[in-house]
Amino acid sequence: DQQVKQNSPSLSVQEGRISILNCDYTNSMFDYFLWYKKYPAEGPTFLISISSIKDKNEDGRFTVFLNKSAKHLSLHIVPSQPGDSAVYFCAASATFFTNAGKSTFGDGTTLTVKP
Amino acid sequence: DTAVSQTPKYLVTQMGNDKSIKCEQNLGHDTMYWYKQDSKKFLKIMFSYNNKELIINETVPNRFSPKSPDKAHLNLHINSLELGDSAVYFCASSQEASWAGYTFGSGTRLTVV
């Protein structure tokens, strides 16, 4: 049972344009969502997060949107840069204040930003 | 100055052998994790330790045994290795009530031949 899904395995955009990565989840108990970025031969790196009490969180070029009714979140990168080329993982947790709450990960979207 | 370090980075071994992967974090985090990334690229949690206590133990074969001598270390020992154990294993740590997510190590690519 895959509770977090990233339906697009890959995405290619032109430098300077917007990249939109999507993520859907099925578990209504999830209340904390994160995006990670992963380069080859490295571990995932935390990028941005959002709590279920918000519908938007922005950090520089990165914005995460949450639509709880649709159980959908998206990551917007604007403007996209070649250095953004990586695998992006969406993750969700059912608890925030207890660290024992595990994060459930999607299977990733490979973003390629063309110069 | 690596925050979460795993050793070895690559591990090639024969079926039936016993091997260990070590993980150390210097961030002062309370919780450490082991995740497995299989050939389909899914990252699945295996274990979670909070201050040396086992908190999460997913459905993982008994051949996998985590050990946490202190809260800065979480090692993974695997007995009687099988072909299906081939994967990339990531160690991670996090701080309670932090918005910063997990800090991952760079992974250990285990290949069982």
Side-chain angles (χ1 to χ4, degrees), chain B residues 71-84:
Chain B
K71 77 171 194 176
H73 296 84
L74 180 62
N75 304 321
L76 183 64
H77 189 76
I78 316 169
N79 290 327
S80 303
L81 278 155
E82 300 177 357
L83 292 176

Side-chain angles (χ1 to χ4, degrees), chain A residues 2 4 32 34 36 38 41-44 46 49-51 89 96-107, chain B residues 9 31 33 35 37 40-43 45 48 50 55-56 58 90 94-102 104-106:
Chain A
Q2 191 179 344
V4 178
Y32 181 48
L34 312 94
Y36 289 83
K38 184 183 180 304
E42 294 182 12
F46 170 76
S49 64
I50 188 167
S51 161
F89 289 96
F96 168 61
F97 292 103
T98 301
N99 234 4
K102 63 183 180 183
S103 281
T104 300
F105 283 78
D107 52 350
Chain B
K9 192 169 179 65
T31 308
Y33 311 81
Y35 273 80
Q37 186 180 34
K40 294 184 179 180
K41 307 303 180 186
F42 284 109
L43 276 162
I45 191 166
S48 168
N50 183 269
I55 302 298
I56 294 173
E58 291 293 299
F90 287 99
S94 66
Q95 185 61 33
E96 193 163 1
S98 166
W99 291 102
Y102 296 171
F104 280 88
S106 58

Side-chain angles (χ1 to χ4, degrees), chain B residues 1-54:
Chain B
D1 192 19
T2 306
V4 179
S5 59
Q6 294 179 230
T7 54
K9 192 169 179 65
Y10 299 96
L11 184 53
V12 181
T13 187
Q14 290 187 323
M15 285 176 56
N17 283 351
D18 302 339
K19 291 293 179 185
S20 292
I21 306 172
K22 295 184 176 181
C23 180
E24 176 181 3
Q25 55 98 2
N26 61 6
L27 299 166
H29 286 171
D30 294 322
T31 308
M32 296 184 72
Y33 311 81
W34 277 109
Y35 273 80
K36 178 181 179 181
Q37 186 180 34
D38 59 21
S39 57
K40 294 184 179 180
K41 307 303 180 186
F42 284 109
L43 276 162
K44 293 183 181 177
I45 191 166
M46 301 174 68
F47 303 102
S48 168
Y49 268 75
N50 183 269
N51 281 315
K52 301 193 301 178
E53 288 192 27
L54 180 64

